[in-house]
Amino acid sequence: MPEDGALPGHALAGAAGRPLGFYLHVPYCATRCGYCDFNTYTASELRGSGGALASRDNYADTVVAEIRLARKVLGDDPRPVETVFVGGGTPTLLPAADLSRMLAAIREEFGLAPGAEITTEANPESVDPRYLAELRAGGFNRVSFGMQSARQHVLKILDRTHTPGRPEACVAEARAAGFEHVNLDLIYGTPGETDDDWRASLDAALGAGPDHVSAYALIVEEGTQLARRIRRGEVPMTDDDVHADRYLLAEEALTAAGFRWYEVSNWATTEAARCRHNELYWTGADWWGAGPGAHSHVGGVRWWNAKHPGGYAQALTEGRSPGAGREVLAAEDRRVERILLELRLADGCPLDLLAPAGARAAARALADGLLERAPYEAGRAVLTLRGRLLADAVVRDLVD
Ligand SMILES: C[S@@+](CC[C@H](N)C(=O)[O-])C[C@H]1O[C@@H](n2cnc3c(N)ncnc32)[C@H](O)[C@@H]1O
Ligand code: SF4
């Protein structure tokens, strides 16, 4: 990774035809949830490492410095930004003015496309009507709340600090503040969660009136507190059959409420309610990820930043790129990546992307009812509902 972050000339070839997005990572949380292995730090985890540079107080300035570096690296690339997604961590631990200041730097340096989608993630306990109104006034038009569950005992296993009912109130507050699009993130398959608990979470989420819902099977990540608790036998592991049943319950409840899936874990009420930022990742567009540990992709070049907020800020303070490493994707890597990502979409992936072994696997998946017949006959691999339940396995077979 060159110190100035310069890209090889070929990365910007054909850029005009690809949308450009920004991801801004905010690596701070008030407390760490036992299941989470995202690159985020509590105040006590940061104490003694990174000093003032790693602190929340300076963070917006540091990210603005990276946005200015992005402008230099992308040179006279004239594209305005189509999507901005502020994620974490807990972006809403920062003052709303800091989030708006980072967005303003993107607007100044690149310009925002008309109708650009500007999202922030928010933890339900960290916002109030005033905070949301400030974000809206700063230019945000979409907010994604980490609801996870409506049941207290499930929230407790997940170490969530908000109370049941708070995420639903957040949706109402966001609508009152003028947010056009509101997402709720849910997690299913938490140890101790029953089918009834999950149904109650879906009902509560849908009752709140979001236009987008993400529902993720709980992943027990190695090295997390939850993994240790499961290993010690303190909490039971959820099995795959339970995950499949919960997914079917989600599909049923969401479809009945007028939502349609557009990616295996994502449902929206209309096409306009889909998360365009995530679609940009899934379709191999260009995005600049700012912040510690953030990944970027421009024209087949992928790079990632220093992981720790201290080292990240140090680089930018010294006028260097915070990039820690990069790779240039070969044509074969890009083909495999396209299959991995596009097969999870409701639009599916073109069959002509598949190698001979993958094409034979697709024919078997069709016979097994894992791929839809009509799109297959029109040259595309699209998962059936049963295929979605087994998405990881189908994808593995088709990339052969
Ligand atoms: C990393 S969080 C960041 C946003 C915010 N701090 C929050 O917790 O809502 C984004 C989403 O990732 C999902 N997530 C994080 N860790 C997960 C895991 N181990 N298994 C499944 N989903 C997970 C949660 O649904 C969460 O809302
Ligand atoms: S609040 Fe979100 S980012 Fe922070 S530890 Fe919990 S799940 Fe991870």
Side-chain angles (χ1 to χ4, degrees):
M1 186 79 198
E3 285 221 329
D4 61 359
L7 286 169
H10 60 81
L12 285 170
R18 302 188 299 262
L20 172 66
F22 258 86
Y23 171 74
L24 307 180
H25 187 65
V26 178
Y28 306 106
C29 285
T31 55
R32 180 177 287 275
C33 308
Y35 60 91
C36 177
D37 78 342
F38 278 64
N39 188 35
T40 186
Y41 303 81
T42 62
S44 67
E45 285 168 350
L46 277 181
R47 213 164 288 135
S49 67
L53 272 182
S55 110
R56 257 156 53 187
D57 301 343
N58 305 322
Y59 191 68
D61 287 335
T62 311
V63 169
V64 167
E66 189 179 349
I67 293 165
R68 304 223 191 283
L69 172 82
R71 177 71 277 176
K72 279 197 203 124
V73 169
L74 296 177
D76 45 16
D77 178 355
R79 290 176 292 173
V81 169
E82 302 283 341
T83 66
V84 178
F85 192 103
V86 187
T90 306
T92 44
L93 266 191
L94 298 183
D98 281 7
L99 303 189
S100 299
R101 200 145 55 82
M102 298 191 283
L103 174 60
I106 295 176
R107 198 185 287 117
E108 262 168 45
E109 297 290 346
F110 291 86
L112 294 172
E117 175 193 271
I118 317 290
T119 307
T120 185
E121 289 184 333
N123 284 37
E125 72 285 0
S126 65
V127 296
D128 60 19
R130 203 169 124 191
Y131 188 101
L132 291 166
E134 276 182 60
L135 282 182
R136 184 69 196 91
F140 286 83
N141 52 27
R142 184 172 183 275
V143 59
S144 169
F145 294 108
M147 172 171 175
Q148 323 308 356
S149 172
R151 292 290 207 218
Q152 180 59 49
H153 73 100
V154 177
L155 292 172
K156 187 158 183 286
I157 293 278
L158 293 174
D159 299 322
R160 300 297 292 193
T161 54
H162 64 261
T163 46
R166 180 63 205 140
E168 298 92 300
C170 285
V171 177
E173 290 171 11
R175 295 290 193 199
F179 279 88
E180 204 181 339
H181 300 297
V182 184
N183 170 58
L184 290 174
D185 274 352
L186 294 172
I187 287 181
Y188 56 89
T190 298
E193 181 194 62
T194 64
D195 283 351
D196 279 348
D197 291 331
W198 177 232
R199 245 184 241 113
S201 295
L202 288 162
D203 288 348
L206 290 169
D211 62 356
H212 190 287
V213 170
S214 302
Y216 303 111
L218 178 69
I219 300 170
V220 179
E221 305 280 2
E222 264 320 303
T224 58
Q225 185 64 18
L226 180 66
R228 286 189 286 278
R229 293 179 70 192
I230 289 175
R231 202 170 319 113
R232 291 199 294 261
E234 288 168 28
V235 289
M237 180 78 185
T238 311
D239 68 45
D240 288 350
D241 288 346
V242 169
H243 278 158
D245 290 346
R246 302 269 155 87
Y247 187 89
L248 291 173
L249 285 173
E251 168 68 13
E252 199 183 325
L254 286 156
T255 305
F259 286 69
R260 292 288 168 272
W261 79 288
Y262 69 102
E263 193 272 349
V264 170
S265 304
N266 289 278
W267 289 259
T269 50
T270 61
E271 250 183 62
R274 294 177 177 188
C275 178
R276 279 162 49 200
H277 185 79
N278 281 339
E279 289 188 312
L280 196 135
Y281 293 150
W282 298 327
T283 54
D286 289 348
W287 74 88
W288 188 292
H295 285 232
S296 302
H297 171 263
V298 174
V301 181
R302 192 155 52 191
W303 71 95
W304 48 92
N305 283 349
K307 198 168 173 201
H308 194 277
Y312 164 76
Q314 181 80 36
L316 284 158
T317 308
E318 292 168 3
R320 288 184 287 115
S321 158
R326 81 172 178 201
E327 61 191 354
V328 177
L329 298 175
E332 176 60 8
D333 300 332
R334 297 180 81 171
R335 184 188 72 82
V336 166
E337 189 144 298
R338 276 193 63 189
I339 300 169
L340 293 174
L341 295 169
E342 292 179 25
L343 194 55
R344 298 176 63 86
L345 302 176
D347 289 340
C349 86
L351 287 170
D352 60 15
L353 267 186
L354 306 179
R360 286 193 295 277
R364 283 195 304 276
L366 176 72
D368 292 343
L370 302 173
L371 294 181
E372 300 280 3
R373 181 161 296 278
Y376 184 89
E377 283 168 358
R380 297 191 75 82
V382 173
L383 295 171
T384 59
L385 177 54
R386 216 166 82 75
R388 279 188 269 157
L389 296 175
L390 300 169
D392 291 343
V394 179
V395 169
R396 252 195 321 271
D397 288 347
L398 268 61
V399 290
D400 263 2

